[in-house]
Amino acid sequence: MSEANAPMSHRTVGTARRLWGLVYLRGAVSVVAGVVLFVSPDDGLTWLRWLVGLAIAVQGALLVIENRRAQGGTAGEDLNARLVAGIVSVVAGVAVVVWPSMTAPLLFLVVGVWACVAGVMALIGGLRGRAARTIAWDWQLVNAALWLVLGAVMLARPTDDMTVVALLLALYLLLSGAVVLVGGLATTTRQKDADSTSLLEGIEERGDHP
């Protein structure tokens, strides 16, 4: 079976193996931040800025690290999308935390623009990953959808109540973290299946060529 027709290449499986730990960490960061925000949604703008800003920045840093570890293992376009999403996330997270005159409307704008840009890049990466038959393109598309929904909600500003906004962000962090964690587990399962398939194919080839 050629690499182009194979469900998953050895190169792609190797990439997934290098990334799974970072993916789980990224999911855990989102879930923990979401839980903390749900427990204390009404502690004010400063608390919200620090928690959300740090969560976004850490997510971005992990995406950049994932990009470096995946070099040579997946489609270049997917890597570029992950790198851009990571850089945008780091910049947005730092801006939310350190901007001296950050107001609630400005927070909505920064988070909304960040989510839309990151969502578009994830969407592009997921679609290109689907064409290149990468291992987790479907979960990437789900995560892109969550990003885009968050961006649309933040830019629409349905409410100025900071407690409601905090709860919406907490819900997003929990959902996105759960998607990343479940996607990581599914990817690990696919990786193991690919390893088993490769092993069986190797045994069959040796059997055909004594």
Side-chain angles (χ1 to χ4, degrees), residues 56-126:
I56 292 174
V58 170
Q59 292 269 342
L62 290 172
L63 282 170
V64 172
I65 296 172
E66 287 177 27
N67 176 81
R68 289 185 59 84
R69 290 199 177 183
Q71 289 289 344
T74 56
E77 296 86 349
D78 182 31
L79 290 178
N80 293 336
R82 184 185 287 119
L83 178 61
V84 172
I87 292 174
V88 170
S89 297
V90 171
V91 172
V94 172
V96 167
V97 172
V98 305
W99 199 306
S101 58
M102 178 66 68
T103 61
L106 188 56
L107 175 65
F108 297 158
L109 178 62
V110 172
V111 173
V113 171
W114 157 73
C116 287
V117 173
V120 168
M121 297 312 302
L123 179 63
I124 293 172

Coordinates of all heavy atoms in Angstrom, one line a residue, residues 56-126:
I56 N -5.1 32.0 27.7 CA -5.0 32.1 26.3 C -3.5 32.1 26.0 O -3.0 31.4 25.0 CB -5.6 33.5 25.8 CG1 -7.1 33.4 25.9 CG2 -5.2 33.8 24.4 CD1 -7.8 34.7 25.6
A57 N -2.6 32.8 26.7 CA -1.2 32.8 26.5 C -0.6 31.5 26.6 O 0.3 31.1 25.8 CB -0.5 33.8 27.4
V58 N -0.9 30.7 27.6 CA -0.4 29.4 27.8 C -0.8 28.5 26.7 O 0.0 27.7 26.1 CB -0.8 28.8 29.2 CG1 -0.5 27.3 29.2 CG2 -0.2 29.5 30.3
Q59 N -2.1 28.6 26.3 CA -2.5 27.8 25.1 C -1.7 28.1 23.9 O -1.3 27.2 23.1 CB -4.0 28.1 24.8 CG -5.0 27.7 25.9 CD -5.5 26.3 25.6 OE1 -5.4 25.8 24.4 NE2 -6.1 25.6 26.5
G60 N -1.4 29.4 23.6 CA -0.7 29.8 22.5 C 0.8 29.3 22.5 O 1.3 28.8 21.5
A61 N 1.4 29.4 23.7 CA 2.7 28.9 23.9 C 2.8 27.4 23.6 O 3.7 26.9 22.9 CB 3.3 29.2 25.3
L62 N 1.8 26.6 24.1 CA 1.8 25.2 23.8 C 1.6 24.9 22.3 O 2.2 23.9 21.8 CB 0.7 24.5 24.6 CG 1.0 24.5 26.1 CD1 -0.2 24.0 26.9 CD2 2.2 23.6 26.4
L63 N 0.8 25.7 21.6 CA 0.6 25.5 20.2 C 1.9 25.7 19.4 O 2.2 25.0 18.5 CB -0.5 26.5 19.7 CG -2.0 26.1 20.0 CD1 -2.9 27.2 19.6 CD2 -2.3 24.8 19.2
V64 N 2.6 26.8 19.9 CA 3.9 27.0 19.2 C 4.9 25.9 19.4 O 5.6 25.4 18.5 CB 4.5 28.4 19.7 CG1 5.9 28.5 19.2 CG2 3.7 29.5 19.3
I65 N 4.9 25.3 20.7 CA 5.8 24.2 21.0 C 5.4 23.0 20.1 O 6.2 22.3 19.6 CB 5.8 23.9 22.5 CG1 6.4 25.1 23.3 CG2 6.6 22.6 22.8 CD1 6.2 24.9 24.8
E66 N 4.0 22.8 20.1 CA 3.5 21.7 19.2 C 4.0 21.8 17.8 O 4.4 20.8 17.1 CB 2.0 21.6 19.3 CG 1.4 21.1 20.6 CD -0.1 21.1 20.6 OE1 -0.7 21.1 19.5 OE2 -0.7 21.3 21.7
N67 N 4.0 23.0 17.3 CA 4.4 23.3 15.9 C 5.8 22.9 15.7 O 6.2 22.3 14.7 CB 4.2 24.8 15.6 CG 4.7 25.1 14.2 OD1 4.0 24.9 13.2 ND2 5.9 25.7 14.2
R68 N 6.7 23.3 16.7 CA 8.1 22.9 16.6 C 8.3 21.4 16.6 O 9.2 20.9 15.8 CB 8.9 23.6 17.7 CG 9.0 25.1 17.5 CD 9.9 25.8 18.5 NE 11.3 25.2 18.5 CZ 12.2 25.6 17.7 NH1 12.0 26.6 16.8 NH2 13.4 25.1 17.7
R69 N 7.6 20.8 17.5 CA 7.8 19.3 17.6 C 7.3 18.6 16.4 O 7.7 17.4 16.1 CB 7.2 18.8 18.9 CG 7.9 19.2 20.1 CD 7.5 18.4 21.3 NE 8.2 18.8 22.5 CZ 8.1 18.1 23.7 NH1 7.3 17.1 23.8 NH2 8.8 18.5 24.7
A70 N 6.3 19.2 15.7 CA 5.7 18.5 14.6 C 6.4 18.8 13.3 O 6.0 18.3 12.2 CB 4.2 19.0 14.4
Q71 N 7.5 19.6 13.3 CA 8.2 19.9 12.1 C 8.6 18.6 11.4 O 9.2 17.7 11.9 CB 9.5 20.7 12.4 CG 9.2 22.2 12.9 CD 8.7 23.0 11.8 OE1 8.8 22.7 10.6 NE2 8.1 24.2 12.1
G72 N 8.3 18.6 10.1 CA 8.6 17.4 9.3 C 7.7 16.3 9.4 O 7.9 15.2 8.7
G73 N 6.6 16.4 10.3 CA 5.8 15.3 10.5 C 4.4 15.4 9.9 O 3.7 14.4 9.6
T74 N 4.0 16.6 9.6 CA 2.6 16.8 9.0 C 2.7 17.8 7.9 O 3.8 18.3 7.6 CB 1.6 17.4 10.1 OG1 2.2 18.6 10.6 CG2 1.4 16.4 11.2
A75 N 1.6 18.1 7.2 CA 1.6 19.0 6.1 C 2.0 20.4 6.6 O 1.7 20.8 7.6 CB 0.2 19.1 5.5
G76 N 2.8 21.0 5.7 CA 3.3 22.3 6.0 C 2.3 23.3 6.3 O 2.4 24.2 7.2
E77 N 1.1 23.2 5.6 CA 0.1 24.2 5.8 C -0.5 24.0 7.2 O -0.9 25.0 7.8 CB -1.0 24.0 4.7 CG -0.6 24.3 3.3 CD 0.1 23.1 2.7 OE1 0.3 22.1 3.4 OE2 0.3 23.1 1.4
D78 N -0.6 22.8 7.7 CA -1.2 22.5 9.0 C -0.3 23.1 10.1 O -0.7 23.7 11.0 CB -1.4 21.0 9.2 CG -1.9 20.7 10.6 OD1 -2.7 21.5 11.1 OD2 -1.6 19.7 11.1
L79 N 1.1 23.0 9.9 CA 2.0 23.6 10.8 C 1.9 25.1 10.8 O 1.9 25.7 11.9 CB 3.4 23.1 10.4 CG 3.8 21.7 10.6 CD1 5.2 21.4 10.1 CD2 3.7 21.3 12.0
N80 N 1.8 25.7 9.6 CA 1.7 27.1 9.6 C 0.4 27.6 10.3 O 0.5 28.6 11.0 CB 1.6 27.6 8.1 CG 3.0 27.4 7.4 OD1 4.0 27.3 8.0 ND2 2.9 27.2 6.1
A81 N -0.7 26.9 10.1 CA -1.9 27.3 10.8 C -1.8 27.2 12.3 O -2.2 28.1 13.1 CB -3.1 26.4 10.3
R82 N -1.1 26.1 12.8 CA -0.9 26.0 14.2 C 0.0 27.1 14.8 O -0.2 27.6 15.8 CB -0.4 24.6 14.5 CG -0.2 24.3 16.0 CD 0.5 23.0 16.3 NE -0.4 21.9 16.0 CZ -0.1 20.9 15.0 NH1 1.0 21.0 14.3 NH2 -0.9 19.9 14.8
L83 N 1.0 27.4 14.0 CA 2.0 28.4 14.5 C 1.3 29.8 14.5 O 1.5 30.5 15.5 CB 3.2 28.5 13.5 CG 4.2 29.5 13.8 CD1 4.9 29.3 15.2 CD2 5.3 29.5 12.7
V84 N 0.6 30.1 13.5 CA -0.1 31.5 13.5 C -1.1 31.5 14.7 O -1.2 32.5 15.4 CB -0.8 31.7 12.2 CG1 -1.7 33.0 12.2 CG2 0.2 31.8 11.1
A85 N -1.9 30.5 14.9 CA -2.9 30.4 16.0 C -2.1 30.6 17.3 O -2.6 31.3 18.2 CB -3.7 29.2 15.9
G86 N -1.0 29.9 17.4 CA -0.2 30.0 18.7 C 0.3 31.4 18.9 O 0.2 32.0 20.1
I87 N 0.9 32.0 17.9 CA 1.4 33.4 18.1 C 0.3 34.4 18.4 O 0.5 35.2 19.3 CB 2.2 33.8 16.8 CG1 3.4 32.9 16.6 CG2 2.6 35.3 16.8 CD1 4.2 33.2 15.3
V88 N -0.8 34.3 17.7 CA -1.9 35.2 17.9 C -2.4 35.0 19.3 O -2.8 36.0 20.0 CB -3.1 34.9 16.9 CG1 -4.3 35.7 17.3 CG2 -2.6 35.4 15.5
S89 N -2.5 33.8 19.8 CA -2.9 33.5 21.2 C -2.0 34.1 22.2 O -2.5 34.7 23.2 CB -3.1 32.0 21.4 OG -4.0 31.4 20.5
V90 N -0.7 34.0 22.0 CA 0.3 34.6 23.0 C 0.1 36.1 23.0 O 0.1 36.7 24.1 CB 1.7 34.2 22.6 CG1 2.7 34.9 23.4 CG2 1.9 32.7 22.8
V91 N 0.1 36.7 21.8 CA -0.1 38.2 21.8 C -1.4 38.6 22.5 O -1.4 39.6 23.3 CB 0.0 38.6 20.3 CG1 -0.4 40.1 20.2 CG2 1.4 38.4 19.7
A92 N -2.5 37.9 22.2 CA -3.8 38.3 22.7 C -3.8 38.1 24.3 O -4.2 39.0 25.0 CB -4.9 37.5 22.1
G93 N -3.2 37.0 24.7 CA -3.2 36.7 26.1 C -2.4 37.8 26.9 O -2.8 38.3 28.0
V94 N -1.2 38.1 26.4 CA -0.3 39.1 27.0 C -1.0 40.5 27.0 O -1.0 41.2 28.0 CB 1.0 39.2 26.3 CG1 1.9 40.4 26.8 CG2 1.8 37.9 26.5
A95 N -1.7 40.8 25.9 CA -2.4 42.1 25.8 C -3.5 42.2 26.8 O -3.7 43.2 27.5 CB -2.9 42.3 24.4
V96 N -4.2 41.1 27.0 CA -5.3 41.1 28.0 C -4.8 41.4 29.4 O -5.4 42.1 30.2 CB -6.1 39.8 27.9 CG1 -7.0 39.7 29.1 CG2 -6.9 39.7 26.6
V97 N -3.6 40.8 29.7 CA -3.1 40.9 31.1 C -2.4 42.2 31.3 O -2.6 42.9 32.4 CB -2.1 39.7 31.3 CG1 -1.3 40.0 32.7 CG2 -2.8 38.4 31.3
V98 N -1.6 42.7 30.4 CA -0.7 43.9 30.7 C -1.3 45.2 30.2 O -0.7 46.2 30.5 CB 0.7 43.6 30.1 CG1 1.3 42.4 30.6 CG2 0.7 43.7 28.5
W99 N -2.3 45.2 29.3 CA -2.9 46.4 28.8 C -3.3 47.3 30.0 O -4.2 47.0 30.7 CB -4.0 46.2 27.9 CG -4.3 47.3 26.9 CD1 -4.6 48.6 27.3 CD2 -4.5 47.2 25.5 NE1 -4.9 49.3 26.2 CE2 -4.8 48.5 25.1 CE3 -4.4 46.2 24.6 CZ2 -5.0 48.8 23.7 CZ3 -4.6 46.5 23.3 CH2 -4.9 47.8 22.8
P100 N -2.7 48.5 30.2 CA -3.0 49.3 31.4 C -4.4 49.8 31.5 O -4.9 50.0 32.6 CB -2.0 50.4 31.3 CG -1.6 50.5 29.9 CD -1.7 49.1 29.3
S101 N -5.0 50.1 30.3 CA -6.4 50.7 30.4 C -7.4 49.7 29.8 O -8.3 50.1 29.1 CB -6.4 52.0 29.6 OG -6.0 51.7 28.2
M102 N -7.2 48.4 30.1 CA -8.1 47.4 29.6 C -9.5 47.6 30.2 O -9.7 47.5 31.5 CB -7.6 46.0 29.9 CG -8.5 44.9 29.4 SD -8.7 44.8 27.6 CE -7.1 44.3 27.1
T103 N -10.5 47.8 29.4 CA -11.9 47.9 29.9 C -12.7 46.7 29.4 O -12.2 45.9 28.6 CB -12.5 49.2 29.3 OG1 -12.6 49.1 27.9 CG2 -11.8 50.4 29.7
A104 N -13.9 46.6 29.9 CA -14.7 45.4 29.5 C -15.0 45.4 28.0 O -14.8 44.3 27.4 CB -16.0 45.4 30.3
P105 N -15.4 46.5 27.4 CA -15.6 46.4 25.9 C -14.3 46.1 25.2 O -14.4 45.4 24.2 CB -16.0 47.9 25.6 CG -16.6 48.4 26.9 CD -15.8 47.8 27.9
L106 N -13.2 46.6 25.6 CA -11.9 46.3 25.0 C -11.5 44.8 25.2 O -11.0 44.2 24.2 CB -10.8 47.2 25.5 CG -9.4 47.1 24.8 CD1 -9.6 47.4 23.3 CD2 -8.5 48.1 25.4
L107 N -11.8 44.3 26.3 CA -11.6 42.9 26.6 C -12.4 42.0 25.6 O -11.9 41.0 25.0 CB -12.0 42.5 28.0 CG -11.9 41.0 28.4 CD1 -10.5 40.5 28.3 CD2 -12.5 40.8 29.8
F108 N -13.7 42.4 25.5 CA -14.6 41.7 24.5 C -14.0 41.7 23.1 O -13.9 40.7 22.4 CB -16.0 42.3 24.4 CG -16.7 42.2 25.7 CD1 -17.8 43.1 26.0 CD2 -16.4 41.3 26.7 CE1 -18.5 43.0 27.2 CE2 -17.1 41.2 27.9 CZ -18.1 42.1 28.1
L109 N -13.5 42.9 22.7 CA -12.9 43.0 21.4 C -11.6 42.2 21.2 O -11.5 41.5 20.2 CB -12.6 44.5 21.1 CG -11.9 44.8 19.8 CD1 -12.9 44.5 18.6 CD2 -11.6 46.3 19.7
V110 N -10.7 42.2 22.1 CA -9.5 41.5 22.0 C -9.7 40.0 22.0 O -9.2 39.3 21.1 CB -8.5 41.8 23.2 CG1 -7.3 40.9 23.2 CG2 -8.1 43.3 23.1
V111 N -10.6 39.5 22.9 CA -10.9 38.1 23.0 C -11.6 37.7 21.7 O -11.4 36.6 21.1 CB -11.7 37.7 24.2 CG1 -12.2 36.3 24.2 CG2 -10.8 38.0 25.5
G112 N -12.6 38.5 21.3 CA -13.3 38.2 20.1 C -12.5 38.1 18.8 O -12.6 37.1 18.0
V113 N -11.6 39.1 18.6 CA -10.7 39.0 17.5 C -9.7 37.8 17.5 O -9.5 37.1 16.6 CB -9.9 40.3 17.4 CG1 -8.8 40.2 16.3 CG2 -10.9 41.5 17.0
W114 N -9.2 37.6 18.8 CA -8.3 36.4 18.9 C -9.0 35.1 18.6 O -8.5 34.3 17.8 CB -7.8 36.3 20.4 CG -7.4 35.0 20.8 CD1 -6.3 34.3 20.4 CD2 -8.1 34.0 21.6 NE1 -6.3 33.0 20.9 CE2 -7.4 32.8 21.6 CE3 -9.4 34.1 22.3 CZ2 -7.8 31.7 22.4 CZ3 -9.8 33.0 23.0 CH2 -9.0 31.8 23.0
A115 N -10.2 35.0 19.1 CA -10.9 33.7 18.8 C -11.3 33.5 17.4 O -11.2 32.4 16.8 CB -12.2 33.7 19.7
C116 N -11.6 34.6 16.7 CA -12.0 34.5 15.3 C -10.7 34.2 14.4 O -10.8 33.3 13.6 CB -12.6 35.8 14.8 SG -14.3 36.1 15.3
V117 N -9.6 34.9 14.7 CA -8.4 34.6 13.9 C -7.9 33.2 14.2 O -7.6 32.4 13.3 CB -7.3 35.6 14.3 CG1 -6.0 35.2 13.6 CG2 -7.7 37.0 13.9
A118 N -7.8 32.8 15.5 CA -7.4 31.4 15.8 C -8.3 30.4 15.2 O -7.9 29.3 14.7 CB -7.3 31.3 17.3
G119 N -9.6 30.7 15.2 CA -10.6 29.7 14.7 C -10.5 29.6 13.2 O -10.5 28.5 12.7
V120 N -10.2 30.7 12.5 CA -10.0 30.6 11.0 C -8.8 29.8 10.7 O -8.8 29.0 9.8 CB -9.9 32.0 10.4 CG1 -9.4 32.0 9.0 CG2 -11.3 32.7 10.5
M121 N -7.7 30.0 11.5 CA -6.4 29.3 11.2 C -6.6 27.8 11.5 O -6.1 27.0 10.8 CB -5.3 29.9 12.1 CG -4.9 31.3 11.7 SD -4.7 31.6 9.9 CE -3.4 30.5 9.5
A122 N -7.3 27.5 12.6 CA -7.6 26.1 12.9 C -8.5 25.5 11.8 O -8.3 24.3 11.5 CB -8.3 26.0 14.3
L123 N -9.4 26.2 11.3 CA -10.3 25.7 10.3 C -9.5 25.4 9.0 O -9.6 24.3 8.4 CB -11.4 26.7 9.9 CG -12.4 26.4 8.8 CD1 -13.2 25.1 9.2 CD2 -13.3 27.5 8.5
I124 N -8.6 26.3 8.6 CA -7.7 26.1 7.5 C -6.8 24.9 7.7 O -6.7 24.0 6.8 CB -6.9 27.3 7.2 CG1 -7.8 28.5 6.8 CG2 -5.8 27.1 6.2 CD1 -7.0 29.8 6.6
G125 N -6.2 24.8 8.9 CA -5.4 23.7 9.2 C -6.1 22.3 9.2 O -5.6 21.3 8.7
G126 N -7.4 22.3 9.7 CA -8.2 21.1 9.8 C -8.5 20.7 8.4 O -8.5 19.5 8.0

